[in-house]
Amino acid sequence: MRKTVLYIAMSLDGFIADDQGRIDWLQAQQDSAENAAGWDEFAASVDTVIMGRKTWHQIVTELSPQQWVYEDFTTYVITHHPLPSSESVRFTDRDPVELVRALRSVAGGQIWICGGASIIGRLLEAEQIDRFHITVIPVLLGNGIRLFERGRRLPLKLVRVSRTGGACEMIFEKQTRKQ
């Protein structure tokens, strides 16, 4: 069965976007060679991306307005207002938990959960995230969109902690429950 990985960055105080929904504070961390090596390793293991419409909109308007940066992956954008799909970007109003369960049942690489917070929350509630690859950016935003707004207790196992540029990368895996 395919694994799902939450691969995301957050501020030290736990936000994935500021109080205006902006992510410009991430840019300072994206230029290091260390970041590129970690990204390349992760990207080689993934073939599918899941994100919400706001995350998609940030990518196409703020991060990479000139070209779709994830064209090597099949991307599912979850939205209640579907737009015309392309070969690499599929807009859907399907429930994210149902979508992940369906994708996990077919052969392929890892499934990257890219954002947003409400999709992440729903997948956490359904225990559909296997690995948490979280980069903590050294900035305090004070307010904004929290990565983990609510949820249930979920025991995790620390796999690795490393320093990449000026940020801290932490990788956790969901612990298997004893029967």
Side-chain angles (χ1 to χ4, degrees):
M1 184 180 303
R2 298 165 73 181
K3 299 266 186 198
T4 57
V5 180
L6 173 62
Y7 185 97
I8 199 163
M10 71 177 188
S11 65
L12 181 60
D13 50 354
F15 297 103
I16 58 174
D18 69 16
D19 58 356
Q20 301 297 309
R22 292 187 312 255
I23 54 173
D24 56 340
W25 51 275
L26 291 172
Q27 295 295 346
Q29 298 298 319
Q30 295 184 357
D31 297 330
S32 93
E34 290 175 279
N35 286 351
W39 164 253
D40 291 344
E41 179 183 340
F42 172 72
S45 71
V46 170
D47 67 2
T48 305
V49 182
I50 295 177
M51 66 180 68
R53 189 202 52 80
K54 290 178 186 174
T55 302
W56 169 81
H57 187 260
Q58 285 175 322
I59 293 168
V60 299
T61 61
E62 289 181 56
L63 297 178
S64 183
Q66 303 303 318
Q67 92 178 61
W68 181 242
V69 292
Y70 303 131
E71 59 191 32
D72 293 339
F73 311 117
T74 301
T75 301
Y76 291 88
V77 178
I78 298 173
T79 177
H80 295 295
H81 307 286
L83 298 166
S85 294
S86 67
E87 187 175 324
S88 63
V89 181
R90 300 174 185 173
F91 295 91
T92 181
D93 61 357
R94 193 166 181 188
D95 176 75
V97 174
E98 290 177 16
L99 177 61
V100 165
R101 286 181 177 147
L103 291 170
R104 288 170 70 121
S105 69
V106 297
Q110 293 188 111
I111 302 165
W112 172 21
I113 310 303
C114 182
S118 64
I119 291 169
I120 293 165
R122 290 174 73 183
L123 293 171
L124 276 173
E125 285 289 321
E127 295 189 19
Q128 291 297 307
I129 300 176
D130 300 306
R131 181 172 265 220
F132 299 77
H133 189 136
I134 300 172
T135 301
V136 178
I137 307 298
V139 63
L140 296 170
L141 296 179
N143 204 352
I145 300 169
R146 287 212 175 273
L147 174 55
F148 302 117
E149 191 62 44
R150 61 183 170 77
R152 63 198 301 180
R153 181 180 294 205
L154 182 64
L156 303 174
K157 177 179 127 189
L158 179 63
V159 175
R160 185 173 78 216
V161 176
S162 61
R163 179 175 170 248
T164 303
C168 175
E169 285 189 345
M170 301 176 296
I171 300 175
F172 302 89
E173 288 183 352
K174 181 173 66 172
Q175 289 186 358
T176 56
R177 295 179 189 258
K178 294 179 182 176
Q179 302 295 332

